Amino acid sequence: MFHGIYHGKNKHPDDFEAMMQRAATAGVKSMIITSGSLGESKSALKLAGDYKLYTTVGCHPTRSNEFDKFSGGSAIYLQALENLIQSDLKNNRRVVAVGECGLDYDRTHFATPDLQKKCFRAQLYLAKKYHLPLFLHSRAAHADFVQILREEGFGKDGGRDVGGTGGVVHSFTGTVEEVAELMDMGFHIGINGCSLKTEANLLVAKTVRLDRIMFETDAPWCTMTSTHASTQHLGSMPPSLRTLYNPPAVKPERFLDGKSVKGRNESASIGCVAWVLHRLHELPLQEIASRAWENTVNVFKLKDIQ
């Protein structure tokens, strides 16, 4: 989408560099790219190397079919993911997590629960072997998700007894009880626009402890819109910040240089997430942003950014 291509159709000129500049202007110092397949992991690694960013390596639960359809089968697919991690650890060290992996029972038409579970366990093996954090996805599958994590040794302190190093359950939209269980297991919680859609979501976000909180955009997905419950808090944002974090946007078909694209999330908007959480927790913006920053740097070992 940041190259103007939507569902295979070219709708506007490439504006990747402009998007990156808007992010930098908004104070974004680096990014972790989320990979959802072997192919995406390869592309993300190149992008991370070119721009000195970071990335995950893994397979999204809805793409689990790729494991069995890959030439040579699931074992070869897993080995290919492992090869990317091995090579990067020897050279660039751009890979900072295994994932996006987990379970998604809202979209089992893409991959059955049994196949998702198999692929999830396989990627937990990689996280333990290479002592990498997890970038986790859980949608409508909390019971099975937690059961597998516990069975694989991730039930306490983020799995450190078995070589794990914690991680984040990203784009969290679960309940108060679910978030409490995950935090007690040693995992961090990623909050983005999708985590702040409803009043119930806001109540959950308010319970996320400062030592477990992370902010994310999930760009180009999870935009924050006027129909979301978060709007009531964004309305209090000073115009100077609103311009930085939510720059003027136009529809893809009416693209203009210097404008962002309506309906397409950008990394600059992470400031909007921070603003809503500062309002929910009734803490200064700088304080809660600093806590999320410190958690992210520490969990993913991003020691080369200040």
Side-chain angles (χ1 to χ4, degrees), residues 126-142:
L126 292 180
K128 290 185 283 189
K129 182 174 180 178
Y130 293 98
H131 312 298
L132 284 169
L134 289 160
F135 194 90
L136 293 162
H137 177 104
S138 177
R139 190 75 71 242
H142 181 78

Side-chain angles (χ1 to χ4, degrees), residues 127 132-136 154 157-160 164-168 186-188 299:
L132 284 169
L134 289 160
F135 194 90
L136 293 162
F154 289 88
D157 200 22
R160 282 168 175 78
T165 56
V168 61
F187 290 103
H188 287 69
V299 169

Side-chain angles (χ1 to χ4, degrees), residues 168-278:
V168 61
V169 183
H170 102 108
S171 193
F172 189 80
T173 57
T175 67
V176 170
E177 293 77 18
E178 289 169 354
V179 79
E181 182 173 15
L182 292 166
M183 289 190 293
D184 288 345
M185 290 170 66
F187 290 103
H188 287 69
I189 307 299
I191 304 295
N192 60 27
C194 289
S195 309
L196 304 167
K197 282 185 176 182
T198 68
E199 291 293 342
N201 291 155
L202 297 184
L203 290 174
V204 173
K206 193 173 182 178
T207 70
V208 178
R209 301 198 307 265
L210 295 186
D211 66 329
R212 295 295 177 197
I213 200 165
M214 288 186 187
F215 301 153
E216 57 173 299
T217 59
D218 204 32
W221 320 113
C222 291
T223 52
M224 302 173 78
T225 73
S226 60
T227 62
H228 293 180
S230 55
T231 299
Q232 61 189 290
H233 298 290
L234 290 175
S236 64
M237 185 184 293
S240 58
L241 294 183
R242 191 176 300 119
T243 300
L244 285 176
Y245 303 149
N246 189 24
V250 296
K251 292 182 178 180
E253 298 80 5
R254 298 180 179 179
F255 177 82
L256 290 172
D257 284 332
K259 301 283 188 182
S260 60
V261 177
K262 191 168 290 187
R264 185 191 71 179
N265 204 2
E266 292 193 4
S267 295
S269 70
I270 199 162
C272 294
V273 178
W275 182 266
V276 174
L277 268 295
H278 121 79

Side-chain angles (χ1 to χ4, degrees), residues 3-64:
H3 298 291
I5 301 170
Y6 298 73
H7 304 293
K9 295 182 179 179
N10 195 317
K11 291 192 175 184
H12 61 75
D14 187 318
D15 68 332
F16 184 86
E17 295 294 342
M19 178 276 294
M20 293 291 284
Q21 184 55 56
R22 283 191 289 270
T25 301
V28 175
K29 293 187 177 181
S30 191
M31 306 174 195
I32 299 175
I33 307 165
T34 310
S35 298
S37 67
L38 175 59
E40 285 183 5
S41 296
K42 293 176 180 178
S43 299
L45 259 172
K46 184 181 185 308
L47 191 62
D50 290 345
Y51 286 86
K52 295 184 178 179
L53 305 175
Y54 305 97
T55 185
T56 71
V57 164
C59 185
H60 192 283
T62 62
R63 311 278 281 279
S64 296

